[in-house]
Amino acid sequence: MTLKERAERAVELKNSGKYNCAQAVTVVLSDQTELAEEQLKQISAGFCAGMGNMEATCGALIGAGMVAGLKTEGKGTLGITRQIQEEFATRCGALKCKDLKTMTDGKPLCPCEECVRNAVMIYGEIMGL
């Protein structure tokens, strides 16, 4: 599966209503870890909607960071997650769920689908997928 196909699959999962943003990202990147999709879905369940109140970091971004930590076994992960975060901010315009969902002219700064798509794409670009 290409990186773009992964990103589109993550959007499909998010839009299905059965996966939150973090879950959609972690599940499509499951082959980057030693965990099963269901384990990743469970472990990332609490990271949607800015940790439940839209006040914290976007769940899609957290999902990409979680997978990076598993992929690198925690070695050098801080630098990788910093790169992911910086590129996410550039593409999406913010890091916090609340800021990403701020409405301007009837549209959010960055819809959930775009956050999910960007998180997968950025992870793949940085990690060389």
Side-chain angles (χ1 to χ4, degrees), residues 9-75:
R9 177 69 181 137
V11 171
E12 289 172 13
L13 292 175
K14 166 65 177 131
N15 286 338
S16 75
K18 297 178 183 176
Y19 296 78
N20 67 41
C21 296
Q23 290 171 320
V25 171
T26 58
V27 166
V28 301
L29 296 171
S30 64
D31 64 319
Q32 297 292 292
T33 78
E34 294 183 12
L35 298 179
E37 288 184 9
E38 189 58 31
Q39 290 173 304
L40 289 165
K41 187 177 179 187
Q42 291 170 2
I43 214 167
S44 57
F47 295 98
C48 61
M51 296 196 55
N53 64 4
M54 295 182 63
E55 292 292 330
T57 304
C58 171
L61 178 55
I62 292 171
M66 292 171 79
V67 173
L70 290 165
K71 177 71 175 174
T72 63
E73 298 178 346
K75 297 173 183 85

Side-chain angles (χ1 to χ4, degrees), residues 91-110:
R91 293 186 194 185
C92 296
L95 300 174
K96 282 185 173 183
C97 185
K98 178 173 92 174
D99 298 334
L100 292 160
K101 302 305 157 242
T102 297
M103 300 295 277
T104 305
D105 297 326
K107 298 178 188 175
L109 177 62
C110 191

Side-chain angles (χ1 to χ4, degrees), residues 101-121:
K101 302 305 157 242
T102 297
M103 300 295 277
T104 305
D105 297 326
K107 298 178 188 175
L109 177 62
C110 191
C112 291
E113 294 82 4
E114 282 303 306
C115 292
V116 167
R117 182 178 290 114
N118 282 322
V120 172
M121 293 298 294

